[in-house]
Amino acid sequence: MNIYLIGFMGSGKTTMGRQLAEELAYSFVDLDEYIEEKCNKTISEIFKELGENEFRKIERSALTDSFGFKDTIIATGGGTPCYFDNMTLINKNGLSIYLEIDVHTLVKRLRNSPVERPLIKNKTEKELSDFIFEKLQEREPFYSKSYFSIDNEIVSPAEMAKIIRSIDI
Ligand code: S3P
């Protein structure tokens, strides 16, 4: 069974995913990294050269590829569950876990993040926090279709692994 980590940019899906995979002896795939390898371009290059709509199609195809993986933790991109019927498919093909995070913490993290993210590039502090507040509200209905939610700042990967083991998957 594959496990899909769901949540906004900066919610810690990749960090949690890597540690959780170790705890559970699962493989780990970061969907953005998978896309970058598949296309031989960075996510920023894909956005710049092909545009967001094309990126969403590539992302969808990477997601469908992941249904063929075995016992893998997949860190999705922040937008993955919110396009096409991706979230329905995720729930049909794996266990989804929403890494919920307080919006103020998110703003702080994304303001200081060294990761290049095309959607928030070149934004002033005010624009960044307005964007995060709005986008999170818009995306929450998709994220909350996850099988369950955890507060990533409270639940450790070891505790998370315990919860997953207690579910009969
Ligand atoms: C995006 C999130 C990014 C990446 C792309 C678009 C989004 O992934 O897929 O820049 O729409 O929220 P992370 O959530 O891993 O930063």
Side-chain angles (χ1 to χ4, degrees):
M1 166 71 101
N2 291 333
I3 297 172
Y4 289 86
L5 299 183
I6 306 290
F8 206 78
M9 297 175 252
S11 59
K13 292 163 296 194
T14 305
T15 310
M16 168 61 96
R18 283 191 203 288
Q19 295 175 14
L20 191 59
E22 255 180 53
E23 292 282 343
L24 293 170
Y26 267 42
S27 304
F28 173 74
V29 173
D30 178 277
L31 208 61
D32 282 339
E33 282 172 15
Y34 179 85
I35 292 169
E36 290 184 334
E37 273 170 35
K38 199 173 162 176
C39 298
N40 207 16
K41 286 181 197 297
T42 65
I43 299 296
S44 295
E45 285 167 347
I46 299 173
F47 266 76
K48 210 171 0 170
E49 292 170 21
L50 306 172
E52 183 174 353
N53 285 350
E54 201 51 39
F55 170 75
R56 296 302 170 193
K57 289 185 204 157
I58 297 170
E59 179 179 52
R60 157 76 171 201
S61 146
L63 178 69
T64 39
D65 287 354
S66 78
F67 301 145
F69 302 166
K70 195 174 167 281
D71 291 346
T72 302
I73 310 272
I74 294 133
T76 61
T80 314
C82 315
Y83 292 85
F84 314 107
D85 58 347
N86 289 354
M87 194 59 205
T88 308
L89 284 189
I90 288 173
N91 281 334
K92 268 193 194 145
N93 288 279
L95 176 77
S96 54
I97 303 170
Y98 174 23
L99 305 192
E100 234 175 321
I101 185 165
D102 164 71
V103 69
H104 299 283
T105 314
L106 214 47
V107 172
K108 245 188 273 165
R109 278 202 198 173
L110 288 172
R111 201 193 291 142
N112 299 316
S113 170
V115 180
E116 203 182 299
R117 292 179 164 102
L119 288 180
I120 55 172
K121 219 171 118 190
N122 302 328
K123 290 205 187 306
T124 63
E125 282 211 7
K126 166 90 173 72
E127 284 167 348
L128 179 67
S129 72
D130 287 352
F131 174 85
I132 295 170
F133 271 80
E134 270 172 38
K135 264 284 179 248
L136 191 57
Q137 231 177 5
E138 185 188 307
R139 290 179 169 185
E140 186 78 39
F142 296 93
Y143 294 162
S144 55
K145 285 188 185 144
S146 297
Y147 185 72
F148 68 89
S149 309
I150 59 143
D151 184 329
N152 201 18
E153 286 183 295
I154 296 174
V155 182
S156 70
E159 287 164 333
M160 181 80 184
K162 218 165 151 188
I163 299 171
I164 292 168
R165 278 193 214 100
S166 73
I167 308 168
D168 201 12
I169 56 170

